[in-house]
Amino acid sequence: MTAQDPKDSLLQTIATLEAKLDFVLDSIMVQPDKSKYMTAQEIQAEFGISHRTILNRSNFLPGHKKYIPSFQAGARRKYFERRVIERMFKQNG
C-alpha cells in the first residue's frame, strides 16, 4: 500500500478551504441588480422621504400597515424592491 504524502494532503485541504472561502466571499460581496432594487438613500433622493423613515419601517413586523419589505445583502445594507417602493409612494405623489 502506498501512503498518501502528508504534503499532498495538506495542499488538497488548503485548495478546498480556498474554494470555500471564495464561495463565501462571493456571496457576501454580491450586489443586487440596481434596476430592480434600491437602497434607502436612493429612495430618499428619488422620492424625498427620509432614509431613516424607510429603514425604521422595514423593521416593523410584516403584518404592520406601515411595514416596508426589504432584504439585507452584505454586512449592513438593506435593499428594497423598486416596484414595491414605486407602488407605495408614486400613487400618493
Side-chain angles (χ1 to χ4, degrees):
M1 284 201 277
T2 52
Q4 188 175 8
D5 185 13
K7 183 179 176 183
D8 289 339
S9 177
L10 181 60
L11 291 175
Q12 287 176 347
T13 302
I14 290 171
T16 302
L17 290 173
E18 285 177 340
K20 288 179 180 180
L21 284 173
D22 286 341
F23 175 77
V24 169
L25 288 175
D26 287 344
S27 66
I28 289 173
M29 303 306 283
V30 68
Q31 292 293 322
D33 180 7
K34 291 288 186 178
S35 65
K36 190 172 179 182
Y37 299 102
M38 306 172 78
T39 64
Q41 288 79 13
E42 291 168 342
I43 295 169
Q44 179 175 332
E46 189 168 329
F47 296 100
I49 298 162
S50 171
H51 71 280
R52 292 179 196 270
T53 299
I54 302 299
L55 292 172
N56 287 339
R57 288 184 177 190
S58 69
N59 290 328
F60 286 137
L61 294 175
H64 194 281
K65 67 179 183 176
K66 292 185 177 181
Y67 171 72
I68 298 175
S70 67
F71 74 93
Q72 201 159 348
R76 298 176 36 129
R77 188 157 307 261
K78 281 189 177 180
Y79 288 90
F80 303 86
E81 195 167 350
R82 183 177 291 278
R83 68 182 173 93
V84 171
I85 297 299
E86 288 175 350
R87 187 175 64 228
M88 290 176 75
F89 295 117
K90 281 196 175 174
Q91 67 185 357
N92 297 330

